[in-house]
Amino acid sequence: DAGVIQSPRHEVTEMGQEVTLRCKPISGHNSLFWYRQTMMRGLELLIYFNNNVPIDDSGMPEDRFSAKMPNASFSTLKIQPSEPRDSAVYFCASSLWQGGQPQHFGDGTRLSIL
Amino acid sequence: AQSVTQLGSHVSVSEGALVLLRCNYSSSVPPYLFWYVQYPNQGLQLLLKYTSAATLVKGINGFEAEFKKSETSFHLTKPSAHMSDAAEYFCAVSDQVGGADGLTFGKGTHLIIQP
């Protein structure tokens, strides 16, 4: 079975550029999560969706960050404009919409903003 | 608000020795608890989860964890360490009753296996 698929795996871009990260959840999962991992702050929840609807975006750091889920099989996380402090590994995870269900993680996108 | 504390950012054990990784949580309602493992340049892989069915939970790769409500702990153990166990381990909590909720992670523990 295909797991959570993220693209690109690596992204290097200059400050001020728009960055778009993509995620395809596991088929049949109806909850999708975006996390950010840094050395200083560890793993942080940015936003999550249930049935394509954003439920909690309180972890989104600034208005420069936005996320969408136009359908059950695709989500994007966009940063515009990007800044060096956005450099991190961004993970997407999916699960069934039920308490206690484990989240399945993609391999992440390593983002470097120069 | 919920939180997770992992005691020890680095733990070193000899191959064949007992592995003990500590996790304490804070939650206002009965929690769901998880242990994940992360290998370099990879995502997180679920080791095991506690969802109130049994306090001793067995996971993959010979790991297990015991939920102790009185101590608000969910420590991860493995009787005999293997070189392949070297990785980063994360404890996580979710306290949403009903639907899925985002996870709150501990800072992680880097497990080092000495030959």
Side-chain angles (χ1 to χ4, degrees):
Chain A
D1 289 341
V4 175
I5 299 172
Q6 292 187 245
S7 64
R9 286 297 313 276
H10 303 274
E11 175 87 11
V12 180
T13 191
E14 292 188 349
M15 181 176 65
Q17 297 298 307
E18 178 179 291
V19 173
T20 299
L21 311 182
R22 297 173 175 80
C23 176
K24 177 179 171 57
I26 292 173
S27 178
H29 282 184
N30 45 14
S31 294
L32 184 139
F33 306 81
W34 283 101
Y35 292 89
R36 178 171 69 175
Q37 184 178 35
T38 61
M39 289 292 292
M40 291 295 294
R41 300 175 67 89
L43 277 156
E44 304 172 281
L45 176 68
L46 299 178
I47 185 172
Y48 74 94
F49 297 81
N50 285 327
N51 295 319
N52 312 337
V53 176
I55 302 300
D56 184 355
D57 66 354
S58 60
M60 297 285 263
E62 300 172 32
D63 291 344
R64 299 184 295 105
F65 286 69
S66 63
K68 294 182 179 180
M69 192 164 186
N71 57 62
S73 59
F74 184 67
S75 177
T76 60
L77 178 67
K78 189 171 293 187
I79 308 172
Q80 167 63 18
S82 58
E83 296 183 3
R85 58 187 168 140
D86 301 332
S87 298
V89 181
Y90 291 80
F91 288 103
C92 176
S94 70
S95 74
L96 292 172
W97 165 242
Q98 183 177 352
Q101 288 296 316
Q103 296 179 17
H104 299 260
F105 284 75
D107 285 336
T109 295
R110 184 173 296 275
L111 177 63
S112 297
I113 309 297
L114 306 177
Chain B
Q2 54 198 352
S3 65
V4 176
T5 301
Q6 291 184 239
L7 193 62
S9 60
H10 291 77
V11 170
S12 180
V13 302
S14 299
E15 189 174 19
L18 171 72
V19 174
L20 170 60
L21 304 183
R22 299 178 187 274
C23 172
N24 289 90
Y25 69 91
S26 172
S27 178
S28 58
V29 298
Y32 299 123
L33 294 159
F34 305 84
W35 274 100
Y36 283 86
V37 60
Q38 184 180 30
Y39 298 101
N41 300 315
Q42 294 186 22
L44 281 71
Q45 179 183 2
L46 179 72
L47 277 176
L48 48 80
K49 65 175 183 177
Y50 166 76
T51 56
S52 78
T55 56
L56 183 62
V57 181
K58 294 188 182 299
I60 63 171
N61 301 339
F63 284 94
E64 63 181 35
E66 185 172 9
F67 173 72
K68 292 186 177 180
K69 183 178 179 180
S70 60
E71 299 177 8
T72 60
S73 69
F74 191 57
H75 302 331
L76 182 71
T77 60
K78 181 174 180 177
S80 177
H82 191 271
M83 295 299 291
S84 61
D85 295 326
E88 191 83 15
Y89 291 80
F90 293 94
C91 182
V93 64
S94 173
D95 65 7
Q96 176 76 13
V97 176
D101 193 14
L103 295 172
T104 298
F105 285 90
K107 293 294 188 185
T109 297
H110 185 63
L111 178 62
I112 301 162
I113 310 298
Q114 304 281 4

